[in-house]
Amino acid sequence: QVQLVESGGGLVQAGGSLRLSCAASGSIVSINVMGWFRQAPGKQRELVATVTGGGTTNYAPSVKGRFTISRDNAKSTVYLLMNSLKPEDTAVYYCNADIYTSTAYLHSWGQGTQVTVSS
């Protein structure tokens, strides 16, 4: 059993910044890729950014240059620093991680955290 818990969402004005955190806990042996996805009202969930255990990152074109993903492997935590936020960044942000336990390989999701950017 593993759990991903997100924090850091909220309301911010356009041009502002927020930092999201997501901590994994449970019977974890190791974690492969960790990432962030988002889902705006009426839209499909989309990839925001991912980071491998070795630190290789990947970003959606819409956030490249504004968002930075990072992770602390010792804490099983992934972060998303969001700068120069735009109203179109408004969405529920979900943490995702590919986790090895002693008995399974799990593609796990957090519960989501709301980010609202006002114009």
Side-chain angles (χ1 to χ4, degrees), residues 23-95:
S25 63
S27 303
I28 298 170
V29 173
S30 65
I31 302 176
N32 192 8
V33 179
M34 302 185 82
W36 291 93
F37 291 71
R38 67 187 181 186
Q39 187 166 18
K43 295 188 177 181
Q44 290 188 332
R45 190 173 297 189
E46 63 176 4
L47 171 72
V48 176
T50 61
V51 58
T52 68
T56 300
T57 58
N58 178 55
Y59 295 93
S62 60
V63 306
K64 200 167 188 178
R66 300 187 297 122
F67 291 10
T68 303
I69 190 170
S70 61
R71 65 190 277 176
D72 183 333
N73 290 328
K75 295 182 179 179
S76 298
T77 298
V78 63
Y79 306 96
L80 185 68
L81 176 61
M82 305 183 291
N83 294 323
S84 302
L85 282 161
K86 304 175 181 180
E88 51 263 44
D89 294 317
T90 295
V92 178
Y93 284 69
Y94 296 92
C95 172

Side-chain angles (χ1 to χ4, degrees), residues 1-4 24-35 37 71 95-110:
Q1 183 82 16
V2 298
Q3 188 176 17
L4 298 178
S25 63
S27 303
I28 298 170
V29 173
S30 65
I31 302 176
N32 192 8
V33 179
M34 302 185 82
F37 291 71
R71 65 190 277 176
C95 172
N96 172 267
D98 293 333
I99 298 174
Y100 288 96
T101 69
S102 60
T103 58
Y105 182 61
L106 304 174
H107 189 67
S108 299
W109 292 92

Side-chain angles (χ1 to χ4, degrees), residues 6-11 17-21 36 80 82 113-115:
E6 298 127 335
S7 60
L11 173 64
S17 299
L18 282 175
R19 191 177 86 147
L20 306 182
S21 300
W36 291 93
L80 185 68
M82 305 183 291
T113 186
Q114 177 70 45
V115 171

